[in-house]
Amino acid sequence: IDTIVFDKTGTLPLDEQIVTQIHCCAQRSEAEVLAWAAAAEHRQTHPIAKAILIAADQRALEIPHLDDAHYTLGLGITAEIQGHLVHIGSERFLGTYNLTLPSVLQDVQRAAAADGHALVFVAEDDAVIGALELAAVVRPEARATIDWLRHLGLSLYIISGDHEAPTAKLAAELGMDGYFANTL
């Protein structure tokens, strides 16, 4: 064996993420954007939902009551909350509801992608009101394991279905020899 290829998600990073920033528009506050997202996600168990709920809990936010929700696997969630239709998900998901990103969030999206972070967009009724920026948490033991394997003279790569930027960032952070992104 001269090469090891690691699957990215759940292997080198933990199967969890953290909310690093809350980006607002439409004259909304961070608390409002996060509260809508937490209300929509409060019954979900996937890593993005957990990160959102932890962030809301850390800020001691009052979460609005969720009336109903529909989850579209891998894209987002649509929820009825206190008479409002709330969409939480990707830009593609919002596009299915004819919701477009304001220019300020398009700029945020480019910056987040360059940092290797993911964005989850939040829309209320017919307007996008913000985005939550999320980052993966690297396993505490990942660096030591990579260093040990490097010491053995192995070539080390990452393969991921994730986008180019987050995969490249993790590969650089861990000192990998290369990576393969957008691989299903």
Side-chain angles (χ1 to χ4, degrees), residues 94-133:
L94 295 183
T96 63
Y97 294 94
N98 297 315
L99 295 165
T100 57
L101 299 183
S103 60
V104 66
L105 289 183
Q106 291 172 13
D107 294 340
V108 165
Q109 187 175 38
R110 282 188 287 279
D115 287 339
H117 295 172
L119 285 179
V120 176
F121 297 100
V122 181
E124 177 192 350
D125 298 324
D126 59 355
V128 179
I129 62 168
L132 307 176
E133 188 170 339

Side-chain angles (χ1 to χ4, degrees), residues 43-109:
R43 293 182 187 159
Q44 304 301 314
T45 59
H46 56 81
I48 291 172
K50 288 179 184 178
I52 291 169
L53 294 170
I54 288 170
D57 187 55
Q58 289 171 338
R59 290 166 177 83
L61 294 181
E62 185 175 325
I63 307 303
H65 175 72
L66 173 67
D67 298 315
D68 191 24
H70 175 71
Y71 180 67
T72 304
L73 186 62
L75 293 177
I77 192 164
T78 298
E80 292 176 34
I81 303 168
Q82 296 180 341
H84 295 275
L85 194 58
V86 177
H87 305 285
I88 312 295
S90 66
E91 179 182 16
R92 181 175 159 200
F93 178 68
L94 295 183
T96 63
Y97 294 94
N98 297 315
L99 295 165
T100 57
L101 299 183
S103 60
V104 66
L105 289 183
Q106 291 172 13
D107 294 340
V108 165
Q109 187 175 38

